[in-house]
Amino acid sequence: MPEGPELHLASCYINTVCAGLIFSGKVEKSEVSKNPEVLFESDAYLISATSRGKEIKLTLMPLKEEKNTLPGRERGKEGQSQNGPQQPMDLVFRFGMSGSFKLTSGAELPKHAHLRFYTKESPRRALCFVDFRRFGRWEVHGTWQLDRGPCVMLEYEKFRENVLRNLSDKAFNKPICEALLNQKFFNGIGNYLRAEILYRLKIPPFEKARTVLEALQHRKQQSPDLTLSKKVKLKRENPDLLELCHAVPMEVIDMGGKGYGPEPSDDTAAFEEWLQCYCVPGMRSLRDGNGRTIWFQGEPGPMAPKGEKSRKRRSRVNADPEPSSPKVTKPVPKRSSKGSSSQEKVATQSGRKKGKELVPGAENAKGNKARKPNARSRRKASASQESPMSKTPAADRKRQASARRSTGTATVAPRSRRVKAE
């Protein structure tokens, strides 16, 4: 998600690529965007940008104002007179989760280019606001939001004073990891920056914010005998939380890149190597009260959410796929009560033909606590047993019946039929 450094890099990118370019015509908006129309049209205008925390302001400046052809013309709602000169316009952007700016060919616009400013040259080029998730917003004739504090990067002294002067605010009753996302006091700090700042100072993310920040009010003053160079050195070696809220974003800005470099091939490899905590293997993570994931090392702190288990990110070595192991065949499952395979059906049919060979199978079924056969199966079993008995003498039948009673295989139905036969 774009944070303060990304917004500042975007403003620098716009000022670099738009230097010397003249734009012309209408500002186009995509049909799918729910943001307002930008009713600006000029034969020739310039574009410049500036950033403040998590906001960026584009200024559209006409090169020359044409005189009204007829007196008494009224200006439109968006500062544009009817058939008259176009006034300068400010557009304030908030990038959401995926916003960015790109200067591309006018004939090959990037996908999800929701606002487009065209150059006057031929072939035309277009400065595009690209946002594939469409969470970004722009405000026509916009100004910096009043509920946002001073920028942590460009207004450090005002930022520090604003925090320490308002420590009684209820925002500092929350854990420090949640307070750092409050743009009223930490304008420009986002999810990856808070993780890196707290990690460097070894501050538990769920320590109470006021407890952490009140200690800065009673910080020991440096000796007046120290030279300026020694004071700067000590400050760099032992920075406090608010100083890192300024220094860490500036490190990202000095790194450059992140898609805003002079060459299209710039990537985020340097940024990923710079990260020490955020999404780094071996670090732990928890969701804060706002549902955002905070990465940290060590204990989470006394205000950690109850019932939440910290998840430790696996190392890159363990994350690699394991070597393939020899395939092990699973044993054939036992016959279920609801159905059986075709092989089991064949074995059952062959067992019925053999007659007495079913006795071991009956013992196995008894050992497996199989259910008693239903009436239909009992009739089939009795029929298979009666056929050979009808052809044997009475003495043989009595001997076989006594043998069956001793093995427990005799059933009630065959016994009643034998009584009638005798």
Side-chain angles (χ1 to χ4, degrees), residues 192-238:
Y192 82 81
L193 285 175
R194 67 169 177 173
E196 297 298 319
I197 292 167
L198 295 175
Y199 170 78
R200 294 192 186 188
L201 294 175
K202 307 302 179 187
I203 297 176
F206 292 95
E207 186 68 54
K208 191 173 183 179
R210 187 175 291 107
T211 303
V212 175
L213 294 169
E214 279 181 344
L216 305 185
Q217 291 180 326
H218 310 292
R219 189 178 181 185
K220 293 181 180 180
Q221 297 293 329
Q222 294 179 351
S223 173
D225 298 334
L226 294 176
T227 62
L228 180 60
S229 60
K230 288 184 178 181
K231 289 181 180 180
V232 173
K233 183 179 180 181
L234 288 174
K235 202 171 185 179
R236 289 179 178 176
E237 292 176 352
N238 301 292

Side-chain angles (χ1 to χ4, degrees), residues 261-272:
E263 298 296 331
S265 60
D266 283 355
D267 55 22
T268 59
F271 173 73
E272 291 176 357

Side-chain angles (χ1 to χ4, degrees), residues 15 22 48 123 166 251 283 378:
N15 291 331
I22 298 177
S48 60
N166 294 284
E251 290 180 12
M283 296 297 164
R378 286 200 299 269

Side-chain angles (χ1 to χ4, degrees), residues 147-166:
D147 58 347
R148 289 178 180 265
C151 177
V152 297
M153 299 167 293
L154 306 179
E155 301 171 293
Y156 170 68
E157 295 298 336
K158 292 181 180 179
F159 150 70
R160 186 181 184 94
E161 180 184 357
N162 183 47
V163 172
L164 296 179
R165 188 179 65 246
N166 294 284

Side-chain angles (χ1 to χ4, degrees), residues 335 339-350:
R335 183 180 179 183
S340 61
S341 63
S342 59
Q343 295 179 355
E344 290 175 336
K345 290 181 180 179
V346 173
T348 304
Q349 294 174 0
S350 62

